[in-house]
Amino acid sequence: MKKDIRFEDYFLFTQHSLSTFDSCPLKFRKRYMEGLKWDSFPDDNIRKGIELGNDFHLMAHRYFSGVPTGAEFLDKNNSPELKGWIESLMLDFPKKPFAQYLSEYKLRMVTPTLKLEANFDLIKIEDNSIEIWDWKTHGGKQSRSKNDTGKRLKEGLQTMVYLFVLKEQIKLVAGREDGWSISMHYWQPENPHVLAEIHYNGAMHEKYRSILERKVDNILAYDFETFEKALYSKHCRYCEFNWYCNNESVDFSLMQEDEDFLDSLDWDSIEERY
């Protein structure tokens, strides 16, 4: 009998596995427990957007790692968007000689109640400050206001997981536990600006601990035999398992209406690169 990966020591929950379960437990089972993965994106706009995001993340990683980015070889005619994004990054984030930059940094934590993994675009350590920076390389719904986007990001699972894991493992990252000012920032290279800024504190940490423990407990206790498809049909039309559940094709145009889904595509592709 196949082991239930939820209870294996090597399985760590991420923002995406937690949000996948929230959106549809069956999707969680197919993607994480059965290892089924969608490797093709027939829609050219989605594919091109992901490739552009991947290229930006790679060049940003090179920049903060102190190796040549290759930006000088970008053709302003063939790669104007990427060239502009990288130039904006270098302008908005000049590297400081006494700051430490941890780019594309993976951090894990395991306690009796939580097993979590966070994959950071950038952690910046300077003086008594630690900043998490996350690059958002797609615009999402054009009609969504900046306030709506900021609120969504501040209240999202990515913010909870990243800040909580960093705080729990701060001695490993920065050498000591106390005396740090911790914050998280979301930055968009298209029309470059900060989408959201969150300043962390002890009360938030305990609140996030409670939320994350409850979410993990719900996943571990879930009986997939009780799954009711009607309760989770909101995203079926652009789920990769729509053929399996409904015998219907995927409506790729709807994917571009869901920022959370675009975030998950963006990161899954980036993670494969390393």
Short mmCIF file of all heavy atoms in Angstrom, two decimals, residues 2-3 15 22 29 40 45 65 125 137 141 145-147 149 152 155 166 170 205 213 219 226 230 233 242 250 256 274:
data_model
loop_
_atom_site.label_atom_id
_atom_site.label_comp_id
_atom_site.label_asym_id
_atom_site.label_seq_id
_atom_site.Cartn_x
_atom_site.Cartn_y
_atom_site.Cartn_z
N LYS A 2 0.55 2.21 -0.87
CA LYS A 2 1.36 3.41 -0.98
C LYS A 2 1.25 4.25 0.28
O LYS A 2 0.18 4.45 0.84
CB LYS A 2 0.90 4.24 -2.19
CG LYS A 2 1.81 5.40 -2.51
CD LYS A 2 1.38 6.07 -3.79
CE LYS A 2 2.31 7.24 -4.12
NZ LYS A 2 1.92 7.92 -5.37
N LYS A 3 2.39 4.78 0.74
CA LYS A 3 2.41 5.60 1.93
C LYS A 3 1.72 6.93 1.68
O LYS A 3 1.74 7.46 0.58
CB LYS A 3 3.86 5.84 2.38
CG LYS A 3 4.58 4.59 2.86
CD LYS A 3 6.00 4.94 3.32
CE LYS A 3 6.71 3.69 3.83
NZ LYS A 3 8.10 4.01 4.26
N GLN A 15 3.63 27.44 1.00
CA GLN A 15 2.48 28.30 0.78
C GLN A 15 1.56 27.73 -0.29
O GLN A 15 0.34 27.80 -0.20
CB GLN A 15 2.92 29.70 0.36
CG GLN A 15 3.57 29.70 -1.02
CD GLN A 15 3.82 31.06 -1.59
OE1 GLN A 15 4.94 31.53 -1.51
NE2 GLN A 15 2.81 31.68 -2.18
N ASP A 22 -6.64 24.52 0.29
CA ASP A 22 -7.76 25.43 0.55
C ASP A 22 -8.68 25.53 -0.66
O ASP A 22 -9.91 25.58 -0.51
CB ASP A 22 -7.24 26.82 0.92
CG ASP A 22 -6.72 26.91 2.34
OD1 ASP A 22 -6.95 25.97 3.13
OD2 ASP A 22 -6.09 27.93 2.67
N ARG A 29 -4.43 16.37 -3.43
CA ARG A 29 -4.12 14.94 -3.49
C ARG A 29 -3.46 14.58 -4.81
O ARG A 29 -2.46 13.85 -4.83
CB ARG A 29 -5.41 14.13 -3.31
CG ARG A 29 -5.19 12.62 -3.38
CD ARG A 29 -6.48 11.87 -3.11
NE ARG A 29 -6.26 10.45 -3.15
CZ ARG A 29 -7.20 9.53 -2.84
NH1 ARG A 29 -8.40 9.94 -2.46
NH2 ARG A 29 -6.92 8.25 -2.91
N SER A 40 2.71 21.34 -19.42
CA SER A 40 2.54 22.08 -20.66
C SER A 40 1.55 23.22 -20.46
O SER A 40 0.59 23.11 -19.70
CB SER A 40 2.04 21.17 -21.79
OG SER A 40 0.78 20.63 -21.46
N ASN A 45 0.19 33.24 -24.20
CA ASN A 45 0.32 34.39 -23.30
C ASN A 45 0.80 33.95 -21.91
O ASN A 45 1.65 34.60 -21.30
CB ASN A 45 -1.01 35.12 -23.18
CG ASN A 45 -1.37 35.89 -24.44
OD1 ASN A 45 -0.48 36.33 -25.17
ND2 ASN A 45 -2.65 36.03 -24.70
N SER A 65 23.71 38.07 -6.32
CA SER A 65 24.78 37.12 -6.01
C SER A 65 26.15 37.64 -6.43
O SER A 65 27.16 36.97 -6.19
CB SER A 65 24.50 35.77 -6.70
OG SER A 65 23.27 35.22 -6.25
N ILE A 125 19.81 41.62 4.77
CA ILE A 125 20.17 41.82 6.17
C ILE A 125 21.10 43.03 6.26
O ILE A 125 22.15 43.05 5.62
CB ILE A 125 20.87 40.58 6.75
CG1 ILE A 125 20.00 39.33 6.55
CG2 ILE A 125 21.19 40.78 8.23
CD1 ILE A 125 20.69 38.04 6.92
N THR A 137 5.93 39.34 -10.92
CA THR A 137 6.25 39.62 -12.31
C THR A 137 5.05 39.48 -13.25
O THR A 137 5.21 39.21 -14.43
CB THR A 137 7.38 38.69 -12.79
OG1 THR A 137 6.99 37.32 -12.54
CG2 THR A 137 8.66 38.97 -12.04
N LYS A 141 -5.26 41.00 -12.70
CA LYS A 141 -6.41 41.74 -13.21
C LYS A 141 -6.08 43.23 -13.32
O LYS A 141 -5.68 43.85 -12.36
CB LYS A 141 -7.61 41.57 -12.27
CG LYS A 141 -8.26 40.20 -12.32
CD LYS A 141 -9.49 40.20 -11.43
CE LYS A 141 -10.17 38.84 -11.47
NZ LYS A 141 -11.37 38.82 -10.61
N SER A 145 -7.56 47.24 -7.94
CA SER A 145 -6.88 48.43 -7.45
C SER A 145 -5.64 48.04 -6.67
O SER A 145 -5.48 46.92 -6.21
CB SER A 145 -7.83 49.22 -6.55
OG SER A 145 -8.02 48.56 -5.31
N LYS A 146 -4.73 49.03 -6.51
CA LYS A 146 -3.52 48.79 -5.73
C LYS A 146 -3.85 48.45 -4.29
O LYS A 146 -3.19 47.61 -3.67
CB LYS A 146 -2.61 50.02 -5.80
CG LYS A 146 -1.99 50.26 -7.17
CD LYS A 146 -1.08 51.47 -7.15
CE LYS A 146 -0.46 51.70 -8.52
NZ LYS A 146 0.44 52.88 -8.53
N ASN A 147 -4.89 49.08 -3.76
CA ASN A 147 -5.30 48.79 -2.39
C ASN A 147 -5.78 47.35 -2.24
O ASN A 147 -5.47 46.67 -1.26
CB ASN A 147 -6.39 49.76 -1.93
CG ASN A 147 -5.87 51.16 -1.71
OD1 ASN A 147 -4.68 51.37 -1.48
ND2 ASN A 147 -6.76 52.14 -1.76
N THR A 149 -4.92 44.79 -4.16
CA THR A 149 -3.76 43.92 -4.31
C THR A 149 -2.94 43.89 -3.03
O THR A 149 -2.53 42.83 -2.57
CB THR A 149 -2.88 44.39 -5.48
OG1 THR A 149 -3.64 44.31 -6.70
CG2 THR A 149 -1.64 43.53 -5.61
N ARG A 152 -4.73 41.86 -0.39
CA ARG A 152 -4.66 40.43 -0.68
C ARG A 152 -3.29 39.87 -0.32
O ARG A 152 -3.18 38.79 0.27
CB ARG A 152 -4.94 40.20 -2.17
CG ARG A 152 -4.84 38.74 -2.61
CD ARG A 152 -5.04 38.63 -4.11
NE ARG A 152 -3.98 39.28 -4.85
CZ ARG A 152 -2.83 38.69 -5.17
NH1 ARG A 152 -2.57 37.46 -4.79
NH2 ARG A 152 -1.92 39.35 -5.87
N GLU A 155 -2.67 39.69 3.56
CA GLU A 155 -3.45 38.67 4.26
C GLU A 155 -3.21 37.27 3.71
O GLU A 155 -3.80 36.30 4.20
CB GLU A 155 -4.93 39.01 4.16
CG GLU A 155 -5.30 40.34 4.84
CD GLU A 155 -6.75 40.72 4.65
OE1 GLU A 155 -7.44 40.01 3.89
OE2 GLU A 155 -7.19 41.71 5.26
N LEU A 166 10.84 32.54 8.65
CA LEU A 166 12.03 33.36 8.88
C LEU A 166 12.23 33.64 10.37
O LEU A 166 13.35 33.51 10.90
CB LEU A 166 11.93 34.68 8.12
CG LEU A 166 13.09 35.66 8.35
CD1 LEU A 166 14.42 35.06 7.90
CD2 LEU A 166 12.84 36.99 7.65
N ILE A 170 15.49 32.46 12.50
CA ILE A 170 16.26 33.69 12.33
C ILE A 170 17.70 33.55 12.82
O ILE A 170 18.62 34.16 12.26
CB ILE A 170 15.54 34.87 13.03
CG1 ILE A 170 16.06 36.20 12.48
CG2 ILE A 170 15.67 34.78 14.55
CD1 ILE A 170 15.18 37.37 12.83
N HIS A 205 3.21 36.89 14.97
CA HIS A 205 3.87 35.58 14.92
C HIS A 205 2.99 34.51 15.59
O HIS A 205 2.82 33.42 15.03
CB HIS A 205 5.22 35.66 15.61
CG HIS A 205 6.08 34.45 15.38
ND1 HIS A 205 6.54 34.09 14.13
CD2 HIS A 205 6.55 33.51 16.24
CE1 HIS A 205 7.27 32.99 14.23
NE2 HIS A 205 7.29 32.61 15.50
N GLU A 213 -0.87 26.11 12.06
CA GLU A 213 -1.06 24.82 12.73
C GLU A 213 -2.46 24.28 12.43
O GLU A 213 -2.62 23.07 12.18
CB GLU A 213 -0.86 24.97 14.23
CG GLU A 213 0.60 25.10 14.64
CD GLU A 213 0.78 25.22 16.14
OE1 GLU A 213 -0.24 25.45 16.85
OE2 GLU A 213 1.92 25.08 16.62
N ILE A 219 -5.34 19.39 7.04
CA ILE A 219 -4.87 18.57 5.93
C ILE A 219 -4.54 17.16 6.41
O ILE A 219 -4.89 16.15 5.77
CB ILE A 219 -3.64 19.22 5.27
CG1 ILE A 219 -4.03 20.54 4.62
CG2 ILE A 219 -3.04 18.28 4.22
CD1 ILE A 219 -2.85 21.33 4.05
N THR A 226 -14.53 11.71 1.78
CA THR A 226 -15.67 12.61 2.04
C THR A 226 -15.68 13.81 1.09
O THR A 226 -16.52 14.70 1.25
CB THR A 226 -15.62 13.13 3.49
OG1 THR A 226 -14.46 13.97 3.66
CG2 THR A 226 -15.55 11.97 4.48
N ALA A 230 -18.78 19.65 -5.46
CA ALA A 230 -19.60 20.88 -5.60
C ALA A 230 -19.10 22.01 -4.70
O ALA A 230 -19.31 23.18 -5.01
CB ALA A 230 -21.06 20.56 -5.27
N SER A 233 -15.87 23.91 -6.77
CA SER A 233 -15.98 24.00 -8.24
C SER A 233 -15.58 25.35 -8.80
O SER A 233 -15.53 25.52 -10.03
CB SER A 233 -17.41 23.68 -8.66
OG SER A 233 -18.32 24.61 -8.07
N ASN A 242 -9.17 19.32 -14.66
CA ASN A 242 -10.55 19.47 -15.08
C ASN A 242 -11.00 18.30 -15.96
O ASN A 242 -12.16 17.89 -15.91
CB ASN A 242 -10.73 20.79 -15.83
CG ASN A 242 -12.19 21.23 -15.88
OD1 ASN A 242 -12.99 20.86 -15.02
ND2 ASN A 242 -12.55 22.02 -16.89
N VAL A 250 -9.55 22.81 -20.33
CA VAL A 250 -9.16 23.92 -19.49
C VAL A 250 -9.41 25.23 -20.23
O VAL A 250 -9.08 25.36 -21.41
CB VAL A 250 -7.67 23.81 -19.12
CG1 VAL A 250 -7.24 25.01 -18.28
CG2 VAL A 250 -7.42 22.52 -18.36
N GLN A 256 -5.75 33.91 -16.34
CA GLN A 256 -5.16 35.24 -16.23
C GLN A 256 -6.02 36.18 -15.39
O GLN A 256 -5.62 37.31 -15.13
CB GLN A 256 -4.97 35.81 -17.64
CG GLN A 256 -4.02 34.94 -18.47
CD GLN A 256 -3.85 35.45 -19.88
OE1 GLN A 256 -3.25 36.50 -20.10
NE2 GLN A 256 -4.38 34.73 -20.85
N TYR A 274 16.09 25.66 -10.50
CA TYR A 274 17.27 25.53 -9.64
C TYR A 274 17.49 24.10 -9.21
O TYR A 274 16.55 23.34 -9.05
CB TYR A 274 17.14 26.43 -8.41
CG TYR A 274 17.21 27.89 -8.80
CD1 TYR A 274 16.06 28.63 -8.96
CD2 TYR A 274 18.43 28.48 -9.07
CE1 TYR A 274 16.11 29.94 -9.35
CE2 TYR A 274 18.49 29.80 -9.48
CZ TYR A 274 17.33 30.52 -9.61
OH TYR A 274 17.39 31.82 -10.01
#
